[in-house]
Amino acid sequence: MSKLTNKVAIVTGASKGIGASIAQHFAAAGAKVVVNYASSATGAEKIVKSINDNGGTAIAIQGDVSKEADVERLFAETAKAFGGLDILVNNAGIYQHAPIEQVSAESFHQQFSVNVLGSLFAIQASLKLFGDKGGSIINISSEAGKMPMAAGSVYSATKAALDAVTIALSKEFSGRKIRINSILPGIVETEGTHAAGFIGSETEAKLIATTPLGRSGQPADIAKVAVFLASEDAGWITGEKISVSGGVYGV
Ligand code: NAP
């Protein structure tokens, strides 16, 4: 039996990048997976096809996690398709780096609405489906929450906030068989970091120079740890912030 056999998982923001890899690794470990996305239907369908072609089970469900009604629909459709939920990965996230002079209320609210409020909405909805058997929640935060970089004040604040959510809820879930942990990736090569200009930049070179393992991360580096945290192998782990970053110590 694989590590996640008979489990149902929702991975938010799984049409590309880290979320897509987590969805693929969960399916390879036996889970039935919901590939959530905001606007990239084609990307999500591609990930679903790759999973189903490899003998796994996945469906794509659109939903903007920052909209409560979308999140409710995402979880209702999941229950209809798969009958319940065991694992939630709050991976959907946006990063908008800017010096303080250029920080706007709009950018602040966008980032907090997706990265923090969206995760809270999804956690609330997951509780109803977990029921008495409990479940596992994984928040994809960032090393940036622990070691903020210049021009990353707002993004870093969202990830530090998400880690605070992890710790608070690990206590709140006492006695409810719900584990909740954060994964803190360092820089990872994804569609998002390519589009933002991080990959190949001076910033990436500086980060690699302070990374003992000497490279940027790949989505699979994160996904393998997500499989572990979602599985019974991590049954005694909750409220933790786990760095998955090649040991980066920051710039
Ligand atoms: P990415 O390549 O930009 O992909 C982002 C994913 O999130 C896409 O599937 C996107 O869906 C989805 N998404 C964005 N806004 C959404 C919303 N409102 N509702 C639902 N889905 C939404 O991102 P990534 O680099 O893989 O990053 C994934 C997560 O890891 C983020 O939380 C990020 O902060 C965190 N992280 C990344 C790095 C890194 O270096 N890459 C490092 C540390 C932490 P659409 O395609 O449909 O828009």
Side-chain angles (χ1 to χ4, degrees):
M1 201 158 90
S2 300
K3 281 179 193 270
L4 302 180
T5 299
N6 296 328
K7 302 290 184 192
V8 175
I10 293 177
V11 183
T12 67
S15 61
K16 54 171 84 95
I18 293 170
S21 186
I22 293 174
Q24 288 167 326
H25 280 74
F26 276 9
K32 296 180 188 120
V33 183
V34 173
V35 172
N36 160 254
Y37 66 99
S39 57
S40 307
T42 311
E45 288 303 342
K46 202 176 99 191
I47 300 307
V48 166
K49 186 172 183 317
S50 76
I51 290 171
N52 293 336
D53 285 353
N54 280 308
T57 304
I59 56 171
I61 302 180
Q62 191 279 336
D64 178 342
V65 296
S66 69
K67 296 183 178 153
E68 197 168 8
D70 279 25
V71 174
E72 281 170 9
R73 179 175 47 73
L74 165 65
F75 282 72
E77 287 180 18
T78 299
K80 204 168 154 198
F82 294 140
L85 184 71
D86 304 285
I87 302 157
L88 165 67
V89 181
N90 283 313
N91 167 79
I94 52 175
Y95 25 90
Q96 298 168 352
H97 284 70
I100 185 63
E101 292 82 357
Q102 289 165 29
V103 168
S104 65
E106 188 190 7
S107 155
F108 174 92
H109 287 301
Q110 274 175 355
Q111 292 183 82
F112 268 89
S113 292
V114 177
N115 300 3
V116 186
L117 186 58
S119 299
L120 292 172
F121 284 152
I123 291 168
Q124 286 176 328
S126 74
L127 299 181
K128 295 173 199 154
L129 296 192
F130 285 162
D132 292 341
K133 67 170 176 29
S136 173
I137 299 169
I138 299 167
N139 290 328
I140 306 298
S141 62
S142 175
E143 287 287 14
K146 212 170 71 180
M147 294 181 289
M149 290 193 307
S153 57
V154 177
Y155 173 69
S156 298
T158 68
K159 294 302 187 176
L162 189 57
D163 286 338
V165 167
T166 295
I167 293 166
L169 293 186
S170 70
K171 297 173 182 172
E172 203 168 317
F173 293 152
S174 179
R176 293 166 70 175
K177 300 183 195 155
I178 300 171
R179 297 184 297 105
I180 179 166
N181 293 288
S182 284
I183 292 178
L184 284 59
I187 189 166
V188 177
E189 185 179 3
T190 64
E191 287 86 339
T193 46
H194 270 287
F198 283 124
I199 301 303
S201 70
E202 202 180 315
T203 303
E204 185 193 23
K206 282 185 191 163
L207 285 169
I208 292 173
T210 67
T211 300
L213 295 183
R215 62 172 173 84
S216 291
Q218 290 296 318
D221 294 320
I222 313 304
K224 289 174 197 165
V225 179
V227 170
F228 164 69
L229 278 178
S231 77
E232 269 313 305
D233 289 352
W236 195 231
I237 300 177
T238 196
E240 295 294 344
K241 298 181 285 178
I242 299 174
S243 293
V244 185
S245 60
V248 68
Y249 48 92
V251 293

